[in-house]
Amino acid sequence: MRILLLVLAAAGLCWGQYNPNTVPKRTSIVHLFEWRWQDIAEECERYLAPNGFGGVQVSPPNENLVITSPNRPWWERYQPISYKICSRSGNEEQFKDMVKRCNDVGVRIYVDAVVNHMCGAAGGSGTHSTCGSYFNAGNRDFPAVPYSGWDFNDGKCHTGSGEIESYNDIYQVRDCRLSSLLDLALEKDYVRSTIAEYMNRLIDMGVAGFRIDAAKHMWPGDIRAFLDKLHNLNTQWFSEGTKPFIYQEVIDLGGEPIKGSEYFGNGRVTEFKYGAKLGTVIRKWNGEKMAYLKNWGEGWGFVPSDRALVFVDNHDNQRGHGAGGASILTFWDARLYKMAVGFMLAHPYGVTRVMSSFRWPRYFENGKDVNDWVGPPSNSDGSTKSVTINPDTTCGNDWVCEHRWRQIRNMVIFRNVVDGEPFSNWWDNGSNQVAFGRGNKGFIIFNNDDWNMNVYVQTGLPAGTYCDVISGQKENNRCTGKQVFVSGDGMANFQINTDAEDPFIAIHVDAKL
Ligand code: QV4
Ligand code: CA
């Protein structure tokens, strides 16, 4: 028995990388894509903490290539030049200030770590980098790190072009260049140590974890090697011995030899099937119906819930990059999007990440968005515009702020209220009217059919009058939206017409009147 306990305790210490390290009863992450550090610091204090957000995924904070053709695309930040904290989002002082201020109000910061590669092979040479550090991509020279030719995989890749030519060859995917990006030789201890040093600087500042960019393009053992060198989290905000949260960007939609499961030893993985399938269901494509969501999660062939990081859309697939395809729902399809995000946040599967975007002049030619490169709202000197807040709490300057949409924000709170409660009381009409609860704490019901819904269903909730947190919310013990009456046996009547602004209703015990 004692040995078993010791084994469990030892294992427990290694489990940290699966835990987002959020404060209790704060369960969701928001990706504040391309936001400035100063704006994030303020958002933590004025909005994220008061509304129960667990943490923020920030854009890559390190120095990157400045690209002027096209003009400052968002994706230049995925072309590192050095590990100095110096980007369009701000400098190191501002980054540190953000991490401190967010942690002080219980909101965690997760860094997007771009460590598979440096800039593109055609990045040129000079000082056109966000901090002005010199580099020479042609010579593989990055003195501000420093990296030199020895630190790249040029010799190891065996394709004619030096590029990944086939995703069916696991060696190419790991050792060749992704979109011409200079591929780091992660089997070298020097490279591993250099990456770990960068991540440790961030950990020491108070960062709670990392998204590992392009993880599929690194060998799981190489990732493991630099993770093993990481410090525990800063004890100013975290308890002694806490490991950073790790979630690896592995796009595994099935059909490729590389599987997300190869990466479980290191931390969680992004489950890309989640958004692709949920979009297909909610759009009712391919004969899919919401009724089929009854066994959503592992039942749909997803990775185990405790290994998954899930999202409806991400910064790539909301604009046709990466994977997921046409089914992905985004803010551009607001009504369906809110349903999808609502479903995700109500459902117990995975650690959930909410997307927060900027608007761009989307323009399709032959089915492709020719403006998919457009960077964040910016001033004429290229600096990123600040996130302004309108009197109605929405954002200005073309920041979409999906996380501030009432329906989404209230579902983030719903998820916190029902945290730890089982999936329960599933109901469906065999078509696109479905409902489920979370123990006796919360209940959600959708009508995605083309006819009105009027049903009595079991909510599992205690008797009382509840305020629907989709059409409104409880304010000063009054309800600004629809009211739901749950009788002594837990049953309640729900009516949702097809023309409802949002064809779903959600109630929880903190919204009881
Ligand atoms: C192009 C050609 C090359 C050519 C080169 C010549 O593809 O063959 O040799 O020009 O200069 C940009 C351009 C791309 C260009 C490349 C290098 O779009 O056309 O190469 O830069 O100059 C983002 C963008 C990419 C962008 C990259 C670097 O999505 O378009 O490339 O940043 O700026 C796979 C991966 C997955 C990846 C996903 C997009 O398995 O890991 O593709 N997702 C992550 C990030 C993503 C990021 C990267 C990885 C790279 O989420 O945002 O790519 O860090 O599915
Ligand atoms: Ca690689």
Side-chain angles (χ1 to χ4, degrees), residues 151-411:
D151 302 318
F152 292 89
N153 272 336
D154 296 280
K156 215 174 168 196
C157 167
H158 296 305
T159 63
S161 61
E163 298 282 303
I164 299 168
E165 293 174 0
S166 165
Y167 276 80
N168 285 320
D169 177 348
I170 65 168
Y171 296 93
Q172 289 185 29
V173 176
R174 271 67 176 255
D175 298 337
C176 295
R177 300 193 304 232
L178 165 65
S179 310
S180 97
L181 301 161
L182 297 176
D183 206 55
L184 286 165
L186 281 150
E187 86 276 9
K188 287 191 61 184
D189 189 59
Y190 173 73
V191 174
R192 294 171 174 179
S193 301
T194 304
I195 290 169
E197 201 175 281
Y198 163 53
M199 295 171 80
N200 278 332
R201 269 195 287 130
L202 297 166
I203 288 173
D204 295 348
M205 290 177 200
V207 154
F210 299 92
R211 167 192 186 263
I212 307 292
D213 179 67
K216 188 165 82 182
H217 304 280
M218 297 183 272
W219 295 97
D222 287 344
I223 296 179
R224 181 59 190 246
F226 67 73
L227 294 181
D228 279 345
K229 297 177 191 283
L230 296 186
H231 297 167
N232 290 330
L233 299 187
N234 187 322
T235 53
Q236 191 176 342
W237 297 286
F238 303 92
S239 48
E240 196 94 37
T242 309
K243 285 194 169 198
F245 177 46
I246 300 296
Y247 55 108
Q248 303 159 94
E249 190 222 10
V250 180
I251 305 182
D252 171 11
L253 292 169
E256 281 177 30
I258 298 176
K259 302 282 167 237
S261 56
E262 295 169 37
Y263 292 82
F264 291 170
N266 298 332
R268 291 192 183 236
V269 296
T270 51
E271 178 49 278
F272 275 78
K273 289 175 190 158
Y274 193 101
K277 294 284 184 196
L278 192 55
T280 308
V281 172
I282 293 199
R283 290 179 188 274
K284 298 187 265 189
W285 285 358
N286 306 345
E288 293 285 4
K289 300 173 174 157
M290 285 191 84
Y292 299 157
L293 297 173
K294 184 174 184 177
N295 65 341
W296 186 243
E298 290 90 344
W300 279 63
F302 301 166
V303 301
S305 176
D306 60 4
R307 292 295 176 270
L309 185 292
V310 296
F311 45 93
V312 172
D313 61 328
N314 80 348
H315 72 281
D316 283 327
N317 63 22
Q318 70 171 195
R319 46 175 52 70
H321 283 237
S327 72
I328 297 297
L329 287 167
T330 71
F331 70 89
W332 295 107
D333 308 286
R335 191 167 183 264
L336 297 183
Y337 187 65
K338 285 179 277 181
M339 269 199 273
V341 177
F343 186 90
M344 172 182 82
L345 291 171
H347 197 280
Y349 181 87
V351 166
T352 48
R353 180 179 64 196
V354 170
M355 181 67 202
S356 189
S357 318
F358 56 80
R359 225 169 269 108
W360 73 97
R362 193 167 70 144
Y363 186 73
F364 288 102
E365 270 173 20
N366 303 321
K368 190 197 180 295
D369 175 9
V370 294
N371 286 334
D372 66 343
W373 60 271
V374 172
S378 53
N379 302 302
S380 51
D381 65 357
S383 60
T384 301
K385 282 189 182 170
S386 64
V387 178
T388 52
I389 307 298
N390 300 321
D392 66 357
T393 77
T394 60
C395 299
N397 276 344
D398 277 328
W399 298 98
V400 183
C401 289
E402 295 93 314
H403 69 288
R404 281 175 169 257
W405 294 4
R406 180 189 67 240
Q407 301 85 343
I408 293 178
R409 178 241 299 145
N410 285 350
M411 286 307 299

